[in-house]
Amino acid sequence: PLAKLRRGIRRADREWRDLPLRTRLTSAAALAATVSIVAVVAVAYLAVRHELRGQVDKDLRRQAADVHLIVSRDLFSGQLTVSLPRAIDEISGYVQAVDASGRFGTTGGPAALPVTERDRDIATNGGSWLRDATVNGTHLRVLTTQSRLRTVALQVAVPLTGVDNQL
């Protein structure tokens, strides 16, 4: 196979050298222009992606700071119950509370957001982190941050459907 490849490269080189100089220069210029255009498009894509996701991250952090959770724990089961006071500028994402043992509470229904070891660590030690998750086929951006309650982390998620559609 290596010998066959070498023969093919030699043949292509011979054919390239047999072309008129004008054709070779035109081909080289076209290739250089194509490579430049692809590079500019790739950089533009990355810049737009970074800007859009940065806006989502900023909104998630603002929403997490604005959340005023009412969290109660069932003394027998340890289950968290979470409620959000209703307000005019209500959170546009999904909110879930997670304690250090991984028990969760939502504003209704089963857990929609996956709970990781790092989420439980944030409930215990504080901090925050952003990640992507897919839940029921929906691409989400999830922020996990320490809540105002000790040993409880707050997860706020918004769908990235709009960002994905623009990209």
Side-chain angles (χ1 to χ4, degrees), residues 4-62:
K4 197 174 193 180
L5 178 64
R6 285 184 185 154
R7 278 193 306 266
I9 290 173
R10 277 193 220 119
R11 190 182 81 226
D13 184 48
R14 209 175 18 237
E15 288 175 8
W16 175 256
R17 289 176 189 233
D18 289 344
L19 290 174
L21 180 61
R22 181 180 293 169
T23 304
R24 287 188 282 169
L25 287 174
T26 303
S27 298
L31 178 63
T34 302
V35 168
S36 298
I37 290 169
V38 168
V40 167
V41 168
V43 168
Y45 173 84
L46 292 174
V48 168
R49 180 180 183 272
H50 177 74
E51 185 65 29
L52 289 173
R53 290 177 68 94
Q55 285 295 324
V56 169
D57 293 349
K58 182 179 171 185
D59 289 344
L60 274 173
R61 285 190 176 95
R62 182 188 51 76

Side-chain angles (χ1 to χ4, degrees), residues 5 10 12 28 30 37 39-40 42 49 58 66 83-85 89 98 108 119 124 132 142 153 156:
L5 178 64
R10 277 193 220 119
I37 290 169
V40 167
R49 180 180 183 272
K58 182 179 171 185
D66 290 345
S83 60
L84 289 171
D89 58 344
V98 179
D119 297 326
T124 304
D132 288 358
V142 181
V156 180

Side-chain angles (χ1 to χ4, degrees), residues 145-157:
T145 187
Q146 178 71 45
S147 75
R148 293 180 177 105
L149 306 168
R150 288 192 61 215
T151 71
V152 175
L154 178 69
Q155 291 181 306
V156 180

